[in-house]
């Protein structure tokens, strides 16, 4: 899979196909088992976050694979994310993540959402009184830069940042973000954001590249779409393979979550598919629909975002 990589501004390469480890049940054993299977199949890019509850299981599986000699640490790309209640101290948060995972460093550490919650809030959906009034992204980013200086991670980045929020960050950042991880799939193509990121040498990583089927907030609309199905039929491929290949054809890495070995193997075969101009044109004309809307970060009283439009700066 060495050729199926993108180069980050820091010089590191990121494999275009990544495995997501968000598991609503936080099932440790099935996560460990799935990561071992993924490594055997050829996955080398793994994505987690403090709030997913999968850091420990992923770290355990990676540690085992490294100690067994299955794969060297330098061949693996590991991402985790700063949760919103840890914005006041990214260094401590990342130090704890490394301890939880049993790793010496992460390849990428991302600010999970552009929102600050009160310290100690460890639920994905905050209550009204758990928001901080001040976004404080500048101070948060200084903490992220400190993580990089200390060698706790090889690159820093953001997640769920709009074009405007990227520009705002670039205004004060000493170190620009290497990555912006956002929802991206054939029904939410992120054209404007991809252009902004490309112009500023920021790699786009796409989460929910299949539309998040299987998640409580997700949808099967992408893989059930008649156009995606017809392109799949033409290439003797699955709709999932078409959706993943589309994301990679735009230069993005795609983070796909499946703990099923057969589907993991199928998804990896997306690397072998070649979409033609007609396929890409058909996808570019599909009606767009954002699935992960972030309503849980919007309220009229305590959140800095009073509307969905404010959260995404009208990119919705």
């Amino acid at each position: 899979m060495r050729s199926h990589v993108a180069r980050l501004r820091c010089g590191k390469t990121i494999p275009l196909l990544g495995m997501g480890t968000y598991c609503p049940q936080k099932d440790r054993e099935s996560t460990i088992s799935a990561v071992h299977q993924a490594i055997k199949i050829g996955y080398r890019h793994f994505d987690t976050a403090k709030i997913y509850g999968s850091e420990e299981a992923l770290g355990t599986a990676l540690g085992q694979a490294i100690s067994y000699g299955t794969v060297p640490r330098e061949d693996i790309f590991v991402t985790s994310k700063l949760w919103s209640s840890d914005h006041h101290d990214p260094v401590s948060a990342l130090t704890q993540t490394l301890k939880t995972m049993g790793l010496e460093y992460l390849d990428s550490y991302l600010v999970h959402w552009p929102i600050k919650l009160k310290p100690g809030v460890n639920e994905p959906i905050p209550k009204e009184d758990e928001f901080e009034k001040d976004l404080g992204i500048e101070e948060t980013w200084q903490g992220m830069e400190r993580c990089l200086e200390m060698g706790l991670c090889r690159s820093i980045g953001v997640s769920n940042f709009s074009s405007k929020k990227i520009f705002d960050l670039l205004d004060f950042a000493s170190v620009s973000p290497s990555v912006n991880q956002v929802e991206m799939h054939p029904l939410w193509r992120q054209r404007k954001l991809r252009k902004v990121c490309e112009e500023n040498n920021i790699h786009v990583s796409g989460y929910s590249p299949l539309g998040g089927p299987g998640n409580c907030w997700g949808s099967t609309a992408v893989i059930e779409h008649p156009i995606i199905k017809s392109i799949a039929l033409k290439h003797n491929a699955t709709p999932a393979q078409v959706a993943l290949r589309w994301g990679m054809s735009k230069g993005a890495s795609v983070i796909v979550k499946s703990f099923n070995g057969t589907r993991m193997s199928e998804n990896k075969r997306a690397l072998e598919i070649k979409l033609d101009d007609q396929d890409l044109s058909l996808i570019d004309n599909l009606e767009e629909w954002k699935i992960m809307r972030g309503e849980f970060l919007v309220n009229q009283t305590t959140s800095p975002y009073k509307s969905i439009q404010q959260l995404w700066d009208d990119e919705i």
Side-chain angles (χ1 to χ4, degrees):
M1 279 176 61
R2 268 286 164 223
S3 59
H4 302 293
V5 297
R7 189 165 293 279
L8 302 180
R9 66 183 316 128
C10 61
K12 269 201 81 68
T13 55
I14 180 169
L16 293 183
L17 183 64
M19 179 192 185
T21 61
Y22 171 69
C23 180
Q25 298 78 28
K26 296 183 169 49
D27 184 338
R28 181 178 185 272
E29 292 309 317
S30 65
T31 303
I32 292 171
S33 167
V35 171
H36 279 299
Q37 268 190 292
I39 290 170
K40 200 174 288 183
I41 290 164
Y43 286 75
R44 294 294 180 265
H45 174 182
F46 297 89
D47 182 89
T48 184
K50 177 185 175 180
I51 203 67
Y52 297 170
S54 61
E55 285 181 334
E56 190 273 333
L58 173 59
T60 296
L62 293 177
Q64 289 169 347
I66 292 162
S67 67
Y68 298 160
T70 312
V71 63
R73 170 65 183 95
E74 57 270 21
D75 283 5
I76 297 171
F77 192 100
V78 186
T79 295
S80 193
K81 306 176 195 83
L82 176 78
W83 182 237
S84 301
S85 60
D86 294 323
H87 279 210
H88 61 290
D89 193 356
V91 170
S92 293
L94 178 48
T95 302
Q96 183 56 55
T97 279
L98 294 174
K99 191 176 170 187
T100 300
M101 297 188 75
L103 295 174
E104 289 182 6
Y105 66 91
L106 292 182
D107 299 280
S108 186
Y109 194 45
L110 310 180
V111 178
H112 203 150
W113 284 93
I115 191 108
K116 191 176 185 180
L117 301 175
K118 290 179 178 170
V121 177
N122 288 318
E123 290 300 318
I125 299 176
K127 300 181 183 73
E128 206 167 337
D129 63 354
E130 293 175 339
F131 289 84
E132 294 276 23
K133 287 187 176 66
D134 174 34
L135 268 179
I137 292 295
E138 191 164 347
E139 292 78 13
T140 300
W141 193 250
Q142 285 169 357
M144 296 292 284
E145 290 173 340
R146 184 90 187 102
C147 291
L148 194 61
E149 283 167 24
M150 292 171 69
L152 303 176
C153 55
R154 298 291 190 254
S155 65
I156 51 176
V158 293
S159 181
N160 298 301
F161 271 49
S162 66
S163 301
K164 180 185 182 299
K165 288 180 177 62
I166 290 287
F167 285 131
D168 290 346
L169 177 57
L170 292 173
D171 275 347
F172 57 73
S174 299
V175 178
S176 297
S178 286
V179 174
N180 186 14
Q181 188 183 116
V182 292
E183 177 183 344
M184 180 177 157
H185 48 71
L187 298 184
W188 191 250
R189 295 184 287 282
Q190 296 281 18
R191 188 169 183 162
K192 177 185 175 184
L193 185 66
R194 281 191 284 114
K195 188 171 188 293
V196 166
C197 287
E198 186 181 1
E199 286 169 354
N200 290 282
N201 197 15
I202 299 168
H203 174 75
V204 173
S205 192
Y207 71 72
S208 300
L210 307 180
N215 290 329
C216 58
W217 53 267
S219 167
T220 57
V222 175
I223 51 177
E224 294 292 340
H225 198 288
I227 298 283
I228 301 296
K229 283 181 156 181
S230 70
I231 295 170
L233 197 62
K234 169 178 156 184
H235 291 283
N236 195 23
T238 66
Q241 287 167 344
V242 169
L244 294 172
R245 187 67 233 178
W246 173 82
M248 292 186 275
S249 77
K250 300 297 181 186
S253 53
V254 289
I255 311 297
V256 62
K257 189 256 161 175
S258 175
F259 285 6
N260 175 296
T262 304
R263 277 201 295 274
M264 283 195 271
S265 294
E266 274 182 6
N267 291 339
K268 184 172 176 277
R269 285 199 291 276
L271 293 163
E272 298 157 22
I273 294 167
K274 292 279 182 284
L275 299 179
D276 59 36
D277 290 345
Q278 184 189 20
D279 303 328
L280 296 173
S281 174
L282 285 169
I283 291 172
D284 273 343
N285 285 298
L286 297 178
E287 189 177 345
E288 294 206 73
W289 174 49
K290 182 158 178 42
I291 297 167
M292 168 54 90
R293 303 178 76 80
E295 290 101 335
F296 57 93
L297 297 177
V298 171
N299 70 52
Q300 293 304 308
T301 50
T302 56
S303 172
Y305 305 115
K306 308 304 180 198
S307 68
I308 290 290
Q309 284 69 28
Q310 278 187 354
L311 174 60
W312 302 107
D313 298 299
D314 294 318
E315 288 175 29
I316 190 161

